[in-house]
Amino acid sequence: METSDKHIILHNINLAKNLLTDMKKAGIIDDKQVGKLTSSLSDVYMNLSKPLIVILVGPFSSGKSTFINAIIQERVLPERILPCTGMVCKIGYCDSHLKIQYLENGVKIKKEIRVDELRSFVDISDPAYRSRGIGDVLEIFHKNDFCAKDIVLVDTPGFNDPNFQDDMTNRALEKADAVIYCMSAIHAYSNTDVEKIKNLHQRKIDSIFYVVGFMDILHSNDSDTGSDEIVSFKKMITNKLASHTSLGEDGVFFVSAIDEFNKISKKTCILDDNGIEKVRIKLWKYLQDNRIPIKMKNARNHLSKIGTRLEKKIKAELDSKKNEMSVYEKNIISYQRNKEDAKKCMEAISNSCAAYEEEVYSFVRVQIETELQSIMDNMDKWVDEVFDYISIISLSIFKNGEIQEKIDVIQRRCAEKIQKAIRERIIPYINTSTNRLQADIQHLVEKYIIVVNLEKNQSVSSVALHLNVKENPLYPSFSPLPLAATLVMLEKSAIGITALSFAPLVGVLAALGLGMGLGIFQQKRIKRRMITSIKEQLQSYSLVSRYVNAIMDSIQWKDSISQITSSLSKSVVKCDKHIDLLKKERDALVIDINRITEIENEREHLFGSIN
């Protein structure tokens, strides 16, 4: 490995570790994930100095173990027609003839294995065989030329082995520098082969070689080993596989196992008469000549995979933050709508109340004015009835108390006429108007609030029309609207405020000489003066305004409206608080999203330059 090449990889790995630190600070990954990813990065660098790992894969009974024995020129691994290899076996180099050790879960050396015990660890048909864990590995160190210069061959359980899942093989492939894919000539390029070859390319393994074994079976069916059928078969398979290896047609080998079992005992190159030796030399030379490019490319591929893992984590976190941001934005909009709805509702209620008050005030005023005018129109008649002609002649003998009693009669008639109008016209009108106002307000509340129950004595929790967040209901409660008129009878209360008072008339009459005997002309003059004085008092005392104000003040409806508007006002305040809080949290999210975006840009730049 060139120093400059390793330096570049190491520099990129250090940058990637710094990126992990940034991702941890941003909350994208935790300490445990940082540890695993840092370890993966370190493995990439350490792998640059390790032997070249060549993994043999293929369907079960495709000749993988047989081919390895041929490559190392000794029958070390068990071979059978039926599925045989039950665990991952690594074949490396050592100066002594053979050394075997068992690693439990790939880490702890369980024990060293004697040659006569090997089959019980590997061959699933052996009576002493027991099931192995996915991380268990058998390491075989053997003195052979092929592995002498830092090459490790790895035998794996066959794909689609009825006794195993593919987990062991797939895990071994994670550390592959090169792959030799074995297949039987009988089932060459089957659906299983097509699927697994596609998977190898998805893993970005480029250094792939294809070995088509059991060619002796085809030869045994035809005495002419160079027959057109076999040539056509080789050409067809080569054309299909050449595009799946960087060596093209040179990466496809056809081998056979004729006389293997007889020749293996001689410890010579088995099957050399059928091309195994040429295959072995060609593979070895390619692996040695391309060691640095293979290691560098695999290092970049592994870094790229790590980069892809980081990209997924960053993207997931970024998507999560953006989704959270979207929720905040929606909630802010919801609360803003709630706030506006509450304001609109208050404004609409205020307008309805103002219109109600203006309408009622105008009606009451017209009614009072009409009654007062009627009183003045009847004043002559009432005075005649109370102060008849005989009484007028006798006025000189009336005492002040008697005069006041007569005046009180007129005063009561005036009050009774007004009170009759209040009972028969004003109060029914007010009741109808307040009922209409209640219906209007109920409609307004229902227009802006989803759930409102206005039945008597029932308090309900209400939710704003646009509220779609999980917080407690925005509007705490709305009580029923007791807006029906509760006008107090004016003869009991309002008269005390606005009572007609003609008491000054006693002084007026006394001033006119009621204590003396008078002539008829003078008596008529006093009567006219009395009528004029009463009418002047009715007009001068602002009785219309006083009666109207007393009636309006007696209608008990403003407290109910005040409760509703107060609740809505509180809702506006709550909305403002929620909006402020949501905006602060949203702004914090914006900072997080910007930081994560920066991290993704760093990742993209770093791993983009690696590739």
Side-chain angles (χ1 to χ4, degrees):
M1 180 69 62
E2 294 291 337
T3 303
S4 59
D5 294 328
K6 293 183 68 174
H7 177 75
I8 293 172
I9 294 295
L10 180 60
H11 176 69
N12 288 331
I13 287 174
N14 288 333
L15 291 178
K17 288 180 178 179
N18 292 336
L19 183 65
L20 293 180
T21 301
D22 292 340
M23 290 175 64
K24 177 187 172 184
K25 290 180 180 178
I28 301 172
I29 52 178
D30 55 27
D31 287 333
K32 185 177 181 180
Q33 292 170 323
V34 170
K36 287 183 177 180
L37 290 166
T38 300
S39 178
S40 298
L41 290 169
S42 298
D43 288 345
V44 172
Y45 182 73
M46 294 297 293
N47 189 56
L48 294 174
S49 302
K50 291 181 178 180
L52 208 64
I53 306 298
V54 182
I55 310 286
L56 277 85
V57 298
F60 67 88
S61 298
S62 58
K64 297 184 295 297
S65 300
T66 301
F67 185 73
I68 290 177
N69 286 338
I71 291 295
I72 64 176
Q73 299 182 332
E74 184 170 353
R75 193 176 195 180
V76 175
L77 297 175
E79 310 160 4
R80 296 177 68 249
I81 298 300
L82 295 175
C84 175
T85 303
M87 66 182 302
V88 173
C89 300
K90 292 183 178 180
I91 298 91
Y93 178 83
C94 68
D95 291 333
S96 59
H97 172 247
L98 191 64
K99 180 181 179 181
I100 307 172
Q101 61 187 22
Y102 171 51
L103 277 69
E104 190 177 70
N105 200 27
V107 178
K108 181 181 179 182
I109 298 178
K110 188 71 174 177
K111 61 178 291 187
E112 290 193 8
I113 309 300
R114 300 191 310 273
V115 176
D116 59 354
E117 295 179 301
L118 179 61
R119 181 174 291 276
S120 67
F121 275 82
V122 178
D123 191 348
I124 63 175
S125 65
D126 191 279
Y129 174 82
R130 66 179 180 83
S131 179
R132 306 298 176 186
I134 188 173
D136 293 356
V137 177
L138 196 67
E139 290 188 339
I140 302 172
F141 299 95
H142 179 266
K143 190 175 184 179
N144 66 86
D145 293 340
F146 194 88
C147 298
K149 292 186 178 181
D150 289 335
I151 292 179
V152 173
L153 296 172
V154 181
D155 192 16
T156 61
F159 288 126
N160 296 349
D161 190 324
N163 300 288
F164 300 99
Q165 299 294 326
D166 294 343
D167 296 343
M168 287 185 179
T169 301
N170 289 331
R171 183 168 179 174
L173 282 170
E174 292 177 2
K175 297 184 178 181
D177 292 312
V179 171
I180 298 176
Y181 191 97
C182 297
M183 62 184 74
S184 169
I186 303 175
H187 305 293
Y189 208 70
S190 65
N191 291 335
T192 297
D193 295 330
V194 173
E195 176 190 346
K196 299 304 179 182
I197 290 170
K198 180 180 179 181
N199 179 262
L200 292 176
H201 286 291
Q202 289 174 344
R203 293 174 177 270
K204 297 185 177 180
I205 300 175
D206 296 320
S207 298
I208 306 176
F209 311 94
Y210 297 97
V211 174
V212 182
F214 299 101
M215 289 298 294
D216 55 296
I217 296 177
L218 298 182
H219 287 295
S220 65
N221 293 331
D222 195 325
S223 59
D224 183 4
T225 57
S227 67
D228 292 341
E229 289 81 359
I230 293 178
V231 172
S232 297
F233 170 77
K234 288 183 176 180
K235 184 176 181 181
M236 177 192 68
I237 295 299
T238 300
N239 289 338
K240 289 183 177 181
L241 294 174
S243 60
H244 298 297
T245 171
S246 56
L247 277 72
E249 293 183 0
D250 290 338
V252 183
F253 306 107
F254 296 89
V255 299
S256 59
I258 191 169
D259 296 329
E260 172 198 351
F261 297 107
N262 293 328
K263 295 181 179 181
I264 192 69
S265 59
K266 299 179 180 179
K267 295 184 180 180
T268 59
C269 177
I270 62 172
L271 310 182
D272 56 348
D273 55 333
N274 288 299
I276 286 293
E277 179 66 13
K278 292 179 181 179
V279 172
R280 191 174 72 87
I281 293 173
K282 193 170 185 178
L283 281 173
W284 183 86
K285 187 175 187 309
Y286 177 85
L287 294 173
Q288 294 297 335
D289 291 347
N290 293 278
R291 173 183 298 275
I292 293 175
I294 290 174
K295 282 288 186 182
M296 286 296 296
K297 190 160 190 175
N298 286 339
R300 291 191 182 94
N301 285 341
H302 283 300
L303 288 176
S304 178
K305 290 177 182 178
I306 293 174
T308 300
R309 289 169 61 187
L310 297 183
E311 181 183 13
K312 289 180 180 179
K313 291 182 179 296
I314 293 172
K315 185 178 184 300
E317 185 68 17
L318 195 58
D319 288 344
S320 175
K321 294 290 185 182
K322 287 181 177 179
N323 288 337
E324 195 175 350
M325 167 75 82
S326 177
V327 172
Y328 277 115
E329 293 289 358
K330 288 179 181 178
N331 289 348
I332 288 172
I333 292 173
S334 293
Y335 278 113
Q336 287 175 335
R337 286 178 175 175
N338 293 337
K339 175 182 174 181
E340 294 304 316
D341 284 346
K343 288 184 175 180
K344 289 176 182 177
C345 191
M346 284 191 292
E347 183 180 1
I349 289 175
S350 176
N351 291 338
S352 291
C353 291
Y356 162 82
E357 197 163 20
E358 181 179 355
E359 178 185 332
V360 171
Y361 184 88
S362 298
F363 178 84
V364 172
R365 188 174 187 85
V366 168
Q367 295 303 313
I368 297 298
E369 287 176 344
T370 301
E371 290 307 313
L372 287 177
Q373 185 61 49
S374 175
I375 288 171
M376 286 189 285
D377 291 343
N378 286 286
M379 190 54 62
D380 291 350
K381 177 182 176 183
W382 290 350
V383 170
D384 284 341
E385 291 175 355
V386 176
F387 295 95
D388 55 27
Y389 184 76
I390 298 175
S391 297
I392 291 294
I393 296 176
S394 305
L395 277 177
S396 59
I397 63 173
F398 284 0
K399 298 180 180 179
N400 286 351
E402 293 174 336
I403 297 173
Q404 181 65 57
E405 182 180 344
K406 298 296 183 179
I407 294 173
D408 288 345
V409 172
I410 297 174
Q411 180 175 290
R412 281 196 300 273
R413 288 186 179 182
C414 293
E416 286 172 357
K417 190 166 180 59
I418 294 175
Q419 288 164 356
K420 183 179 179 181
I422 291 173
R423 285 194 304 271
E424 295 179 358
R425 294 198 303 278
I426 294 177
I427 288 179
Y429 174 81
I430 290 175
N431 284 333
T432 301
S433 297
T434 49
N435 287 336
R436 187 170 64 251
L437 175 63
Q438 178 176 359
D440 289 344
I441 292 176
Q442 178 174 342
H443 172 73
L444 290 172
V445 174
E446 289 175 342
K447 177 180 178 181
Y448 293 102
I449 312 298
I450 290 178
V451 182
V452 173
N453 189 336
L454 296 177
E455 293 181 4
K456 290 185 178 181
N457 302 321
Q458 184 172 359
S459 179
V460 295
S461 295
S462 306
V463 184
L465 178 62
H466 302 288
L467 188 63
N468 58 5
V469 291
K470 295 181 180 179
E471 283 79 357
N472 290 330
L474 181 61
Y475 300 109
S477 66
F478 278 101
S479 298
L481 306 178
L483 295 181
T486 56
L487 188 64
V488 179
M489 295 304 292
L490 292 184
E491 63 266 24
K492 294 182 180 179
S493 62
I495 289 298
I497 301 174
T498 63
L500 294 167
S501 179
F502 299 155
L505 283 175
V506 177
V508 171
L509 295 175
L512 292 174
L514 291 180
M516 301 180 296
L518 301 174
I520 293 175
F521 176 79
Q522 187 67 15
Q523 292 170 356
K524 289 182 178 180
R525 178 171 172 268
I526 292 172
K527 181 180 177 182
R528 287 196 301 273
R529 184 67 184 90
M530 181 179 181
I531 293 171
T532 301
S533 179
I534 291 174
K535 290 182 178 181
E536 286 177 353
Q537 288 186 53
L538 290 174
Q539 293 172 340
S540 64
Y541 287 173
S542 302
L543 286 179
V544 173
S545 296
R546 293 173 67 189
Y547 265 107
V548 171
N549 291 336
I551 292 171
M552 297 301 294
D553 290 342
S554 298
I555 304 174
Q556 304 300 314
W557 62 280
K558 292 185 179 180
D559 287 344
S560 299
I561 299 299
S562 177
Q563 291 175 8
I564 296 173
T565 55
S566 175
S567 180
L568 290 170
S569 296
K570 290 177 181 178
S571 298
V572 171
V573 173
K574 286 185 178 181
C575 282
D576 283 332
K577 289 182 178 178
H578 278 293
I579 290 170
D580 289 343
L581 179 61
L582 289 171
K583 284 184 176 179
K584 288 179 181 178
E585 293 175 345
R586 180 200 61 188
D587 293 344
L589 270 178
V590 170
I591 295 173
D592 289 343
I593 289 173
N594 291 339
R595 180 59 186 135
I596 295 171
T597 302
E598 289 176 2
I599 290 174
E600 170 56 18
N601 291 336
E602 292 175 16
R603 185 210 64 80
E604 187 175 6
H605 175 74
L606 170 60
F607 289 95
S609 64
I610 289 174
N611 294 328

